[in-house]
Amino acid sequence: MESTRSKIIQVLSTNDDNFISGQEISEQLKISRSAIWKHMKELEKDGYVIEAKRNKGYRIIQSPGKVSENTVQWGLETKWLGKSIIHKETTSSTQVIAHQLAMNNAPHGTVVIADEQTAGRGRLNREWYSAKNKGIWLSIILRPTILPYLAPQLTLLTATVLADVIKNNLDLDTKIKWPNDIIIQDKKVSGILTEMQAEQDRIQYIVIGIGMNVNQKLEEIPDDIQSKATSLMIQTGRILDVTNLIQDILITFEKTYEEYCNHGFPIIKERWESYGYRLGERTKIKTFQTVQDAILMGIADDGALLAKYNDGEVKRIYSGEIDWFYNNENSK
């Protein structure tokens, strides 16, 4: 359920720099003038600078730099994504909170954001280092009408969203390493964790977790992953506005998700493959049975990686170890 304060944020943000009268807000939201004044005072505590003039009304002239429900919703031009936002300064994992909310009927498009995760995790329960106020740590609750076996498509969709936001906003050469890592200059900057609660023929809900390194300096990345991880600050040389990036991700996600719902997976598949890390190159793939050279060809509709082996056969890879830095010279 969208809060009254969120609705006030929406009303003020759609009026840009113009004043909007207390009476107009009162009529739109069906609350008293005194209630509006109390909400404005709470917004000021959150760091907003609000100008109030007699016979004119209210306007926000400056928003705070910190992440909160209000700062993310201020100017967030989405129809359904992020209308309900839960923000935590510190939590074990946004995924845990999102699962709890989803099981208690939280609506489609609910977003959980944290400044810090103390037990962030990625695929295969690997630890994800989530430093306070240094990155984007969020989870999105979705209730799609697709069949459960198509759920991996949403991981691939999310990867294209993150790649689009980084490339379009920061002009960085961005790649997607199958299935869910965002790569810049051969180093990971972001990852995705998709988890689902479903029956045989129906998805109850999906939680998509996003972790993105934004403002870490090189020395703030743990020593054991410095050779494999990076941040947007390291890549651009400047501190970035985390709130703006979150808004861009949510806006792009909603647009891309609706394209997917209306037109299916082919457009997502094409976009993913345009970012595909080392597609068309030879690598080494270790599965349960064999270790073989193969050329990475793209992705299948079910999210599998397509690899062409030396005998010409193209196989679907669902799990296995891929030597992403395999030297092509070794196969000549």
Side-chain angles (χ1 to χ4, degrees):
M1 190 73 176
E2 190 175 3
S3 69
T4 299
R5 201 163 303 150
S6 298
K7 292 176 182 177
I8 290 176
I9 286 283
Q10 184 66 25
V11 169
L12 292 171
S13 67
T14 54
N15 282 271
D16 298 321
D17 294 328
N18 299 321
F19 285 94
I20 180 168
S21 70
Q23 183 61 35
E24 188 174 346
I25 297 173
S26 175
E27 290 173 357
Q28 283 194 41
L29 304 187
K30 295 180 173 56
I31 59 175
S32 68
R33 298 283 291 273
S34 62
I36 293 169
W37 183 83
K38 290 177 182 177
H39 282 297
M40 293 298 177
K41 290 303 176 186
E42 289 301 315
L43 288 174
E44 287 179 340
K45 290 180 184 178
D46 209 16
Y48 286 89
V49 178
I50 297 174
E51 186 177 10
K53 284 192 174 182
R54 187 181 296 275
N55 299 324
K56 281 191 172 184
Y58 302 93
R59 67 174 179 174
I60 294 179
I61 58 177
Q62 185 178 328
S63 60
K66 64 180 182 179
V67 174
S68 72
E69 295 98 324
N70 294 328
T71 57
V72 173
Q73 286 178 329
W74 170 254
L76 179 62
E77 298 175 355
T78 56
K79 291 177 284 186
W80 52 265
L81 183 55
K83 294 306 176 184
S84 175
I85 292 177
I86 291 83
H87 170 259
K88 301 289 184 181
E89 290 187 4
T90 300
T91 187
S92 61
S93 166
T94 59
Q95 289 290 97
V96 172
I97 295 175
H99 276 290
Q100 292 170 346
L101 291 167
M103 287 187 286
N104 287 307
N105 299 316
H108 175 74
T110 298
V111 177
V112 181
I113 303 171
D115 296 336
E116 176 186 38
Q117 296 182 121
T118 58
R121 56 192 170 88
R123 288 178 68 245
L124 307 177
N125 278 322
R126 291 172 179 148
E127 182 181 3
W128 182 276
Y129 179 69
S130 311
K132 190 166 188 177
N133 299 322
K134 294 291 183 177
I136 294 173
W137 329 119
L138 68 80
S139 296
I140 299 171
I141 298 172
L142 299 175
R143 298 187 184 277
T145 56
I146 60 174
L147 292 171
Y149 80 92
L150 294 176
Q153 292 181 348
L154 296 179
T155 302
L156 303 171
L157 179 155
T158 305
T160 70
V161 167
L162 301 184
D164 281 344
V165 168
I166 293 172
K167 180 182 177 182
N168 295 338
N169 288 4
L170 304 175
D171 196 28
L172 294 172
D173 185 18
T174 310
K175 298 294 183 183
I176 304 173
K177 189 177 78 174
W178 181 84
N180 66 342
D181 289 349
I182 308 302
I183 303 293
I184 301 174
Q185 293 188 350
D186 296 323
K187 292 186 176 183
K188 182 174 178 177
V189 73
S190 182
I192 301 157
L193 176 62
T194 302
E195 298 176 316
M196 174 174 64
Q197 184 71 31
E199 299 167 8
Q200 186 173 1
D201 60 351
R202 184 176 71 90
I203 293 174
Q204 294 177 3
Y205 67 83
I206 286 177
V207 175
I208 297 180
I210 296 171
M212 181 179 291
N213 297 334
V214 179
N215 286 324
Q216 293 95 333
K217 299 175 183 177
L218 180 61
E219 59 269 24
E220 292 174 323
I221 294 177
D223 293 342
D224 59 331
I225 59 171
Q226 279 190 9
S227 63
K228 299 182 289 185
T230 188
S231 74
L232 297 180
M233 179 184 176
I234 292 170
Q235 296 297 322
T236 62
R238 55 192 175 92
I239 296 175
L240 301 172
D241 188 309
V242 173
T243 300
N244 286 345
L245 276 172
I246 291 173
Q247 290 178 327
D248 288 337
I249 288 170
L250 297 181
I251 290 167
T252 306
F253 188 100
E254 182 180 271
K255 178 183 176 183
T256 307
Y257 184 86
E258 291 186 346
E259 285 179 348
Y260 168 75
C261 291
N262 293 330
H263 304 292
F265 187 62
I267 189 171
I268 305 300
K269 180 178 186 293
E270 181 180 356
R271 194 174 298 161
W272 193 101
E273 290 179 338
S274 73
Y275 287 115
Y277 184 62
R278 294 203 61 182
L279 289 194
E281 298 182 31
R282 186 175 296 277
T283 186
K284 189 181 289 290
I285 300 175
K286 179 181 180 181
T287 62
F288 179 72
Q289 297 175 319
T290 63
V291 179
Q292 290 181 289
D293 287 3
I295 297 173
L296 304 182
M297 304 298 292
I299 54 172
D301 287 350
D302 60 359
L305 181 67
L306 299 175
K308 185 176 182 179
Y309 288 85
N310 291 336
D311 60 4
E313 183 180 2
V314 176
K315 296 181 180 179
R316 297 186 181 206
I317 307 298
Y318 293 97
S319 63
E321 296 180 21
I322 299 172
D323 186 352
W324 292 104
F325 303 103
Y326 180 62
N327 190 339
N328 288 340
E329 295 297 320
N330 292 338
S331 61
K332 293 182 179 178

